[in-house]
Amino acid sequence: MTHVQPNLSFEKPFTTVDIVIFSVQDNKLKVLLVKRPSNASEPYPNQWALVGGFVDVQLDADLEATARRKLFEKTHVKTAYLEQIGSWGNATRDPRGWSTTHVYFSMLAMNHAEQLKSGANAQDVQWFDVVENGVQTALAFDHAHLLAVAIERLRNKVEYTSLPAFLMPTLFTLKELQSTFEAVLARPLERSAFRTRILATDLLEATPHFKTAANRPAQLYQLKSNLQPVYFQRTFNPIK
Amino acid sequence: MTHVQPNLSFEKPFTTVDIVIFSVQDNKLKVLLVKRPSNASEPYPNQWALVGGFVDVQLDADLEATARRKLFEKTHVKTAYLEQIGSWGNATRDPRGWSTTHVYFSMLAMNHAEQLKSGANAQDVQWFDVVENGVQTALAFDHAHLLAVAIERLRNKVEYTSLPAFLMPTLFTLKELQSTFEAVLARPLERSAFRTRILATDLLEATPHFKTAANRPAQLYQLKSNLQPVYFQRTFNPIK
DNA sequence: AAAATAGTGTCTCTTAGACACTATTCC
DNA sequence: GGAATAGTGTCTAAGAGACACTATTTT
């Protein structure tokens, strides 16, 4: 199909992508933030912000490509769970003009998150504790709001999916998985019900390995399929 | 805060908004589509498409304003349930260049949907039956895909929310509400369980009116709060 | 043996499904 | 009274919470 180049010379909004990168370390939910450049001609200089940036129509085939590019730039992680949580756009969120952002959230496995700590530009990229619905730092743009929505969405989804499994290292015990769920949800879960629920799904497989400590060793498990969460559905049941 | 106008002269994607407008008529799930202009310099002339268009940075304060503006232009409905389902963007979905769309879905109450039928530009705006995951017509752009996602999201959400209540006229019976749920889900539900579930929530209030027919009259109900769905949550319960 | 945590079993509670039974209207 | 659908009640099944009991390791 060929088309004449149309007269679409009206003003276009800026198009950006932001990624809320979650991880659990020391049983605490964390989010990765970057420091904005100190250049005073940039908005919000030196403030912390979500990982993100402009869509590059030359580089990026689609929005997810922008997200993965930004994710890789800051974390050097190529494959991670990535899910879009929505988009926002208005005239005032960016002082440079009408702008839109397509927001994703990502879950980094602990081992990947650990690597980062000792990585390069460590001052500019940092993990922040999630407290309630945000972090205890002012964020650039409307990022505090975007983060709050991401946290809410994450917690909501963890109620009925196996998402936190993506935060685990390769081998882990059921107790460790439960602790991760609890860190995300910010509330304790009942041990027996948790085990039953998780083991009833096709999510994990037991390995021949055990984690030893000053007590009975715990079975080590690993994820079965790698990047799709399991849904615990308890809704209307289909009629037989 | 003041900023110098930055050097952001790189190419920007087009920014559009599309709305998937649902309704249930004659116990069938319907979606509202519009016919693209016949002007051959426009992409997909004369094809059916979702309601939508470009963000107008002069007119629209935010993306939802664009959505409501487009919704009103085609339906003359000012208030309707409106929810964003995500955004899409890539280099190829629009032949005019890299474009993004922010997709919303909306639910029109039956009485509003009825009005439309006899409205103006009736040839250009039409209700289509939803069959499986789409309509039996080719759609412009990637709209068939967007529609499929919207239908899936709708069905998914109806499993654990009261969304179909927004499709009802002011007064309705429980049987009618159940039929609407069934139309959306495309499967039958059990009568007793449905009644128990709905009445257990704070969604409806009984009115003094009854719907009479050639049998026992049915109580007429109306929605309590107007634009927020009720969630039937059955997940991890909080520990006491 | 004591401490500590892993793992299991059992009872209860809640909610949905199945299905029968009662209620109320029109004809 | 018969037909038809509204509305209720009762039993069962499944899964989660509560919680105790057993199992296996280190010290």
Side-chain angles (χ1 to χ4, degrees):
Chain A
M1 205 183 304
T2 57
H3 292 280
V4 288
Q5 237 3 271
N7 178 18
L8 292 171
S9 52
F10 49 77
E11 195 189 338
K12 296 174 189 168
F14 295 110
T15 303
T16 68
V17 170
D18 291 303
I19 320 168
V20 183
I21 303 171
F22 288 116
S23 163
V24 168
Q25 297 159 38
D26 310 321
N27 288 335
K28 281 179 297 203
L29 181 62
K30 308 264 183 174
V31 60
L32 193 71
L33 300 177
V34 297
K35 202 169 209 166
R36 305 237 348 125
S38 53
N39 184 341
S41 72
E42 293 271 339
Y44 300 97
N46 289 316
Q47 284 219 35
W48 292 98
L50 296 174
V51 173
F54 291 101
V55 168
D56 184 326
V57 300
Q58 309 300 330
L59 275 181
D60 304 323
D62 55 28
L63 292 173
E64 192 175 316
T66 310
R68 291 209 179 270
R69 178 167 61 80
K70 289 288 164 187
L71 178 68
F72 182 77
E73 278 176 15
K74 298 300 175 194
T75 65
H76 282 265
V77 170
K78 283 240 180 208
T79 55
Y81 182 79
L82 193 66
E83 174 183 335
Q84 202 193 67
I85 63 174
S87 59
W88 281 261
N90 62 50
T92 57
R93 55 184 299 280
D94 189 316
R96 293 167 291 192
W98 225 107
S99 80
T100 64
T101 181
H102 305 263
V103 183
Y104 288 77
F105 83 78
S106 178
M107 324 262 299
L108 242 58
M110 285 171 191
N111 35 338
H112 287 142
E114 284 296 323
Q115 276 173 233
L116 255 186
K117 271 189 190 168
S118 50
N121 48 10
Q123 301 112 303
D124 292 359
V125 183
Q126 230 174 269
W127 290 104
F128 283 75
D129 283 0
V130 169
V131 179
E132 302 271 318
N133 291 310
V135 289
Q136 292 178 313
T137 315
L139 296 186
F141 305 105
D142 53 358
H143 287 190
H145 177 239
L146 304 184
L147 174 60
V149 172
I151 293 168
E152 192 192 346
R153 186 77 60 96
L154 174 67
R155 293 214 170 110
N156 220 312
K157 237 179 147 166
V158 166
E159 297 281 353
Y160 62 94
T161 70
S162 65
L163 272 188
F166 299 131
L167 295 168
M168 305 308 292
T170 318
L171 293 180
F172 53 90
T173 67
L174 283 177
K175 169 68 174 161
E176 288 165 347
L177 182 60
Q178 181 178 341
S179 297
T180 303
F181 269 79
E182 291 172 337
V184 173
L185 290 174
R187 76 164 195 272
L189 298 174
E190 208 278 332
R191 203 163 53 102
S192 169
F194 180 81
R195 299 175 69 92
T196 311
R197 180 168 176 155
I198 295 293
L199 293 177
T201 69
D202 201 35
L203 183 68
L204 305 183
E205 61 190 358
T207 69
H209 306 106
F210 285 81
K211 177 176 182 172
T212 54
N215 48 39
R216 175 171 174 179
Q219 181 101 49
L220 283 163
Y221 290 83
Q222 64 188 12
L223 279 186
K224 265 191 175 170
S225 64
N226 231 350
L227 285 176
Q228 283 307 307
V230 167
Y231 285 77
F232 312 112
Q233 29 200 11
R234 195 149 172 191
T235 57
F236 283 131
N237 293 348
I239 285 185
K240 71 123 197 281
Chain B
M1 206 186 301
T2 57
H3 293 280
V4 288
Q5 239 357 273
N7 177 18
L8 291 172
S9 52
F10 48 79
E11 194 188 338
K12 295 175 190 169
F14 295 109
T15 303
T16 67
V17 169
D18 290 303
I19 320 168
V20 183
I21 303 171
F22 288 114
S23 163
V24 167
Q25 297 159 37
D26 311 320
N27 288 335
K28 280 179 299 201
L29 181 61
K30 309 263 185 175
V31 59
L32 192 70
L33 300 176
V34 297
K35 201 169 208 166
R36 307 245 336 133
S38 53
N39 184 339
S41 70
E42 292 271 340
Y44 301 96
N46 290 315
Q47 285 219 33
W48 292 97
L50 297 174
V51 173
F54 292 100
V55 168
D56 185 324
V57 301
Q58 309 300 330
L59 275 181
D60 304 322
D62 54 28
L63 291 173
E64 191 175 316
T66 311
R68 292 210 179 270
R69 179 168 60 82
K70 289 288 163 188
L71 177 68
F72 182 76
E73 277 175 14
K74 299 301 175 193
T75 66
H76 281 266
V77 171
K78 284 240 182 209
T79 55
Y81 182 79
L82 193 66
E83 174 182 336
Q84 201 193 65
I85 63 175
S87 58
W88 280 260
N90 63 50
T92 57
R93 56 184 298 280
D94 189 316
R96 292 167 292 191
W98 226 105
S99 80
T100 64
T101 181
H102 304 263
V103 183
Y104 288 76
F105 83 77
S106 179
M107 324 261 300
L108 242 58
M110 284 170 192
N111 35 338
H112 288 141
E114 284 295 322
Q115 278 174 234
L116 254 185
K117 271 188 189 170
S118 50
N121 48 10
Q123 303 111 302
D124 293 359
V125 183
Q126 230 173 269
W127 290 104
F128 283 75
D129 283 0
V130 169
V131 179
E132 303 270 317
N133 291 310
V135 290
Q136 292 178 312
T137 315
L139 295 185
F141 306 105
D142 53 359
H143 287 189
H145 177 241
L146 303 184
L147 174 59
V149 172
I151 293 168
E152 192 193 344
R153 186 77 61 96
L154 174 66
R155 292 212 170 112
N156 221 313
K157 238 180 146 166
V158 167
E159 296 281 354
Y160 62 94
T161 70
S162 66
L163 272 188
F166 299 131
L167 296 168
M168 305 308 292
T170 316
L171 294 180
F172 52 90
T173 67
L174 283 177
K175 168 68 173 159
E176 288 165 347
L177 182 60
Q178 181 177 343
S179 298
T180 303
F181 269 80
E182 291 171 339
V184 174
L185 290 173
R187 76 164 195 271
L189 297 174
E190 208 277 332
R191 201 164 54 103
S192 171
F194 180 81
R195 298 175 70 93
T196 311
R197 179 167 176 155
I198 296 293
L199 292 178
T201 69
D202 200 36
L203 183 67
L204 306 183
E205 61 189 358
T207 70
H209 305 106
F210 286 82
K211 177 176 182 172
T212 54
N215 48 39
R216 175 171 174 177
Q219 182 101 48
L220 283 163
Y221 289 83
Q222 64 189 12
L223 279 186
K224 264 191 176 170
S225 64
N226 230 351
L227 285 176
Q228 284 307 307
V230 166
Y231 286 76
F232 312 113
Q233 29 200 12
R234 194 151 171 187
T235 57
F236 284 130
N237 291 350
I239 285 185
K240 72 128 190 278

